[in-house]
Amino acid sequence: MSEEKSRRWRSGRLALKRLELPELRPLPGTQEILRKIRDLYLGMPGELLEPLVDLRLGILGPGSYGEMLARVLVVFGADHDDVMGVLERSRNLTEVAGFFSDLGWFWEQQGRAELEASHLESARDAFRRAAVYYGVEAWAATSGAAIRDAYVDINRCYDHFRSLGRHPTRKVEIPFRETSLPGFLRLPAAGSRRTGGGPPPILVFIQGMDSLKEWLDLFERRALERGFATLNFDMPGNGESLARGIAMRRPDDVYEVGRGVRAFIDGLGEVD
């Protein structure tokens, strides 16, 4: 690590220490998370990661950080009481993942029952919530195998959700170096508000750290209703890309992502 980069990381660590935060009580699993993050962040010294890891693990308690996590997940489609119930019962990351896996299974069964009864909107919403909870299972996982297993469940439920949605959605692959990044291309449904003719303009949605492409469709919906197409994908180190073992490993990877997105959009005939 260069001297300048090390200085910036150390400044960030001091800034974290100056924050007036409640006492954090990290759950067991700190070392697994440290190894995972160290792999993703270009060999950053472990001692510089400790406050970041403590911050992440601290939100998994039932206090103010648990409340913050619950509010974030509600925005993505989770139920507040579901989330707080899990956090109050969990003693470590493995239990967090297990409880959310159970919640995902419950809502998946709800979706299947609603689908069998031809309650399509209720089925769609249940499958989406199941995918959200399986996604939290992946978020809390501390091994590549556990993330991959969770994504089998996420994809199964989200495929049901996509098939029941109003706006046409298809899976796509964004070129990235020798591989590709998984994503979704959504087109506005017939009757969506748009002035003028021609193909719809496209908006690219990029998630923050630790979020998944399957969590962003609620934000995309407003753009789709106004006649925009949307592209949403998992950045290296996030979601299904991480499940595939794709991570940010070089400083110029972000530019490679941008070039791949531009090349993908340029090859689309149905958007502007």
Side-chain angles (χ1 to χ4, degrees):
M1 177 181 291
S2 69
E3 181 177 346
E4 172 62 17
K5 188 172 182 180
S6 180
R7 183 190 65 78
R8 290 200 302 270
W9 278 111
R10 294 182 189 280
S11 297
R13 186 184 187 192
L14 292 175
L16 280 174
K17 285 186 174 181
R18 287 195 295 268
L19 292 175
E20 294 182 1
L21 301 173
E23 180 184 358
L24 301 179
R25 296 187 298 277
L27 297 174
T30 301
Q31 292 305 314
E32 289 85 349
I33 295 295
L34 277 170
R35 283 194 291 271
K36 177 179 176 182
I37 297 179
R38 188 179 296 118
D39 287 343
L40 299 181
Y41 290 92
L42 304 172
M44 190 193 314
E47 68 271 11
L48 301 186
L49 292 173
E50 291 172 3
L52 304 178
V53 174
D54 287 350
L55 193 62
R56 172 173 177 168
L57 296 181
I59 68 174
L60 296 178
S64 59
Y65 286 104
E67 181 66 29
M68 180 184 74
L69 176 61
R71 290 181 181 182
V72 169
L73 291 176
V74 165
V75 171
F76 293 143
D79 178 83
H80 179 275
D81 291 341
D82 283 350
V83 176
M84 293 305 295
V86 167
L87 299 184
E88 288 168 358
R89 289 181 291 162
S90 299
R91 296 168 296 177
N92 53 54
L93 287 173
T94 299
E95 290 188 357
V96 170
F99 284 134
F100 275 109
S101 178
D102 291 344
L103 279 174
W105 182 88
F106 171 81
W107 282 101
E108 182 178 359
Q109 304 317 304
Q110 291 289 106
R112 294 183 185 281
E114 297 288 1
L115 189 59
E116 186 174 345
S118 298
H119 301 156
L120 300 186
E121 290 193 10
S122 296
R124 180 196 62 201
D125 293 344
F127 281 123
R128 189 189 183 283
R129 182 165 291 181
V132 168
Y133 289 147
Y134 285 136
V136 184
E137 175 192 2
W139 178 84
T142 58
S143 73
I147 296 172
R148 289 190 294 273
D149 287 346
Y151 247 95
V152 171
D153 297 330
I154 295 169
N155 285 331
R156 183 178 61 251
C157 291
Y158 207 79
D159 284 347
H160 281 296
F161 167 74
R162 289 191 302 115
S163 71
L164 297 168
R166 175 170 177 248
H167 301 282
T169 303
R170 71 174 187 259
K171 290 182 175 180
V172 297
E173 296 289 333
I174 309 300
F176 174 67
R177 297 200 183 278
E178 297 81 20
T179 182
S180 61
L181 308 175
F184 296 120
L185 175 67
R186 289 182 167 88
L187 300 176
S192 299
R193 297 194 301 273
R194 184 172 78 250
T195 58
I202 188 168
L203 295 178
V204 179
F205 284 73
I206 300 176
Q207 78 270 55
M209 287 181 63
D210 282 340
S211 62
L212 317 178
K213 64 184 182 300
E214 290 81 8
W215 291 355
L216 298 186
D217 56 86
L218 295 178
F219 299 97
E220 293 175 84
R221 185 184 304 170
R222 302 186 70 176
L224 290 161
E225 290 170 351
R226 287 161 175 76
F228 289 90
T230 64
L231 176 64
N232 167 22
F233 62 98
D234 281 323
M235 290 283 286
N238 278 31
E240 193 173 8
S241 292
L242 181 60
R244 296 180 180 183
I246 304 170
M248 290 282 192
R249 302 191 184 280
R250 293 166 52 177
D252 63 342
D253 275 350
V254 65
Y255 300 106
E256 286 297 318
V257 171
R259 282 189 280 268
V261 169
R262 179 59 185 269
F264 175 81
I265 292 175
D266 287 345
L268 293 174
E270 64 263 61
V271 302
D272 184 2

